[in-house]
Amino acid sequence: MNSFSNHPIGLLPVEENYDPSKPSIPEFYSGKDIFITGGTGFMGRVLIEKLLRSCKGVNKIFVLLREKKQKSVWERVKEMHNLPLFEKLRKEAPEMLDKIIPVKGDVMLLGLGLSTDDLQVMCNVSVVFHVAASVRFDDPLKDAILLNTRGSREVFRFGQSLKNLSVIMHVSTTYSNPDRYEIEEMIYPPYADWQETIRIAEQFDEETLDVLAPMYMGFLPNTYVFTKSLAEQIVNDYKDKLPLILFRPSIVISTMKDPIPGWMDNFNGPVGLLVGCGIGICRTMYCDPNNVADFTPVDVCIKAMIVAAWKKGTAVEQSTPFSPESPQLPVYNCCISNLRNSTMSQIVEMGKALNSEIPLDSSLWAPGGGITQIRIRNFIQVMLYHILPAILIDMLFKLTGQRPFLAKLQRKVYTANVALEYFILNNWDFKNTNFIRLASEIQPNDNKDFYYRDFVEFDITLYFRNCILGARRYLLKQKDEDIPKALAHQRRLRVLDFVCKLLLTVGFLYMTLIKLDMIGFLLHSTSYKTSYPLSLERV
């Protein structure tokens, strides 16, 4: 396997700054009821699995859920039990799964849509993880405000009703202040008044708000970062009333190793790019090749979240009752690009090398292509390599009685690239002193389960190899034993790709050099001599 030069920028000393008088992390969570929003999302599932497997003394984990696609909240939880993510837990301690208690509700509703009975059942909750959010960049402004901004306020109001509350963590994003290119672990001034924004979203219809959105959001690129930034203002306003933590992860992608390497349930981030290139549908991308892709493995992120909540919770419990004199609002930028980074060009080259070893089944074309900073060049390449082939292949599908899908898929790829432009053409300097220092406060006995700084030294090529394997297994549902067949299929596609390029080249040369007689024209032009004298003399 090829190895890429991506060594850590600077290895961190493994210092110890722990307080032996504090309870261990499992001891802190032991006997506690936990409430989680976004529990069926990517991060939420990993959080639930890690709490159940590494903090076996936890009492109950209440998960806020909506009934979806005619499935009850209990049916949705049962589905989650069967995910490959929970396989290790099912083998080691299957009884722990019974501690997941679904609660019918919705973050977009006032009061989270909770019934009086559910509020009574959850009266002993002492730890809250607010993970729910819409991460879509193209959500209507109204929906994004009601979910990402007002939903956060409703979670904090629920927290105020809890008599035994020790800690409440709000999960934001490092990109919540995208107009600043140096992001400290602090709260920045607001872009708008969050209370007024919620009032506007409640009173005006979706179409009106969409018309006002560009003017109201100012220079912010999309509704996601705008509404997440407003939610941070709510955190700031409630910091004297609740034991809050603001946790900002960067791009969260596949697991590094816990509980299994390469697990993921979406195509977000660099993994989506690798998959798109691997199946041959993504052959050009408009971005800065030197742009740093600030990604964090989801298990690294979840461990840090659990540790941060432990630190805040123990501090609050040792200084009860909670008061404004308690430690100030902790802010953590969960990112590692200042310690170990990968540029977009490095990821593309890594993907090309790894794809020769781990190809994807049923690829539509041989992997290839690259990235460019020239917008018009990217547009031309999109038309030639994405749109036109998609139309031709869809026509073949129609002729053979199959359902065409490629043109629609390519439109989605192009739309996604446009939505990401702001983020793949700019770089940010994320400061993460609190995030890095937090790892040193983990007690030695807890390091095995919760130490998260080991990613800085982890083999980046091995990590992305596991990412591609994980995409095959968990996203595309492809079997490892089919890799030899996929390799043979890829070799055929590479031959076909070469033949097509050769035919196009020969056809172009034939049309220009033979049919249009460009050879004769060039020879005539280079050897042309006048047939009459340039000067006339009298004879």
Side-chain angles (χ1 to χ4, degrees), residues 94 128 404 460:
V128 176
I460 194 71

Side-chain angles (χ1 to χ4, degrees), residues 316-333:
V316 169
E317 290 178 354
Q318 291 172 0
S319 61
T320 52
F322 175 74
S323 68
E325 286 73 36
S326 296
Q328 64 179 8
L329 174 69
V331 181
Y332 298 97
N333 287 341

